[in-house]
Amino acid sequence: MSGLLDSPEFYESILATVHDGLWVTDENDCIVYFNHGMERISGLKADQALGVCVLTDFGDETTGAFLPYYARAREALKAVSYEVRVTTPAGRPTIQSGSLTPRIVNDATKAEMKQVLTEIQDGTFARNWVEESRSGRAKFRELEQAGFDHP
């Protein structure tokens, strides 16, 4: 088993199949990794995103609400969670919930940034779903009967 865990292919196969978006920037804030989940969410292919600078190369509709969180993680060198409404680079409105985790690479002032994000319908969706489930509200029963597991 330990041989499997030492294999880069093992981890690459996991990252390639997760539903969540994962992207990584280098110390210059340019995208160096972009998984399939991120392709689905953003509408960009990895080869279109690689090398793009997060701070300057996307329009305000895509990064305006997101950049303050990115800057906070970058300045504090600590993980930051966020939930934002943005328009994807492909032009689709979306609500995204994610976390930004910096990794110091040299002199404690530059950091790579890992971002994991999930596209969500509404930030309160999970809380409302649990509340409705517990209270037996009709809306939950209707969704449950329709077989929906996500809006």
Side-chain angles (χ1 to χ4, degrees):
M1 179 72 168
S2 68
L4 175 65
L5 297 179
D6 294 335
S7 163
E9 292 81 17
F10 172 74
Y11 296 101
E12 289 170 7
S13 69
I14 292 171
L15 294 174
T17 58
V18 294
H19 184 72
D20 293 339
L22 172 64
W23 55 269
V24 178
T25 59
D26 63 14
E27 64 273 10
N28 298 311
D29 303 303
C30 295
I31 297 172
V32 295
Y33 180 80
F34 202 80
N35 78 338
H36 292 295
M38 202 59 227
E39 288 182 337
R40 179 188 54 76
I41 292 168
S42 71
L44 295 177
K45 294 293 183 189
D47 62 349
Q48 296 172 294
L50 295 176
V52 171
C53 179
V54 173
L55 300 178
T56 59
D57 294 343
F58 290 113
D60 188 55
E61 67 281 354
T62 297
T63 58
F66 163 79
L67 286 179
Y69 297 99
Y70 189 92
R72 187 179 324 148
R74 200 76 159 84
E75 291 166 13
L77 295 176
K78 293 187 180 183
V80 172
S81 296
Y82 67 91
E83 186 173 291
V84 293
R85 291 179 185 268
V86 298
T87 300
T88 67
R92 187 174 55 80
T94 180
I95 302 170
Q96 298 175 357
S97 176
S99 63
L100 295 152
T101 306
R103 185 177 79 79
I104 300 169
V105 290
N106 56 25
D107 62 6
T109 60
K110 294 277 191 174
E112 296 174 337
M113 188 77 70
K114 293 182 300 186
Q115 181 193 3
V116 177
L117 70 91
T118 301
E119 185 172 43
I120 56 176
Q121 189 69 18
D122 180 355
T124 58
F125 174 77
R127 290 184 299 277
N128 289 343
W129 183 269
V130 170
E131 181 184 331
E132 289 175 8
S133 172
R134 289 182 181 155
S135 70
R137 290 186 195 159
K139 181 179 177 186
F140 173 79
R141 284 193 297 274
E142 289 170 14
L143 290 171
E144 186 176 48
Q145 290 168 355
F148 293 130
D149 61 351
H150 197 279

